[in-house]
Amino acid sequence: QVQLVESGGTVVQAGGSLTLSCAGSGRTFGHYVMGWFMQAPGKEREFVASITWGGTSRFYADSVKGRYTITRDNAKNTVDLHMTNLKPEDTAVYYCAAGSAFTRNKSDYDYWGQGTQVTVSS
């Protein structure tokens, strides 16, 4: 089992950059695929990015491709989401998740953090 805690959410101006961090507990952190999801008000939680166990493969939603980068450090039990050229439509609660499959489906992720709010002002 792994527990996840996100941090780094804040208010940022459009065009700005931000890095979200997710800290995981447990010795098996490196055994999990890690993902980031976002949920805007009144909308479903949707996939943003994922990274494989060793960090060799990454997958992004089309809406963030070229603007976001997901990285992980298994020695520190962390996974980060580096966000650039932020847009008002990126405003959402961002969740970190851990799962056993390299997928964009939220149902395939077993463990979730509490989320961190990102607000992009125009």
Side-chain angles (χ1 to χ4, degrees):
Q1 190 167 355
V2 61
Q3 294 181 325
L4 304 171
V5 178
E6 304 95 335
S7 62
T10 189
V11 178
V12 61
Q13 287 192 327
S17 300
L18 188 64
T19 294
L20 304 181
S21 293
C22 174
S25 64
R27 293 177 295 174
T28 60
F29 182 85
H31 296 180
Y32 291 96
V33 169
M34 297 302 298
W36 283 96
F37 290 76
M38 61 183 287
Q39 188 165 17
K43 294 190 175 181
E44 297 268 336
R45 191 171 300 187
E46 61 184 55
F47 172 79
V48 174
S50 61
I51 188 167
T52 51
W53 303 266
T56 54
S57 295
R58 299 173 176 88
F59 187 43
Y60 297 96
D62 288 343
S63 59
V64 307
K65 203 172 294 182
R67 299 190 299 122
Y68 289 13
T69 303
I70 186 171
T71 61
R72 70 186 296 165
D73 185 336
N74 289 338
K76 296 181 179 179
N77 282 8
T78 58
V79 58
D80 292 343
L81 187 67
H82 308 275
M83 312 159 71
T84 64
N85 192 21
L86 283 161
K87 305 175 182 180
E89 52 264 41
D90 296 322
T91 294
V93 176
Y94 284 74
Y95 296 89
C96 171
S100 55
F102 187 47
T103 173
R104 62 187 302 150
N105 299 319
K106 56 182 180 289
S107 60
D108 291 326
Y109 289 81
D110 303 309
Y111 303 104
W112 293 82
Q114 294 298 309
T116 186
Q117 175 71 49
V118 173
T119 302
V120 184
S121 62
S122 57

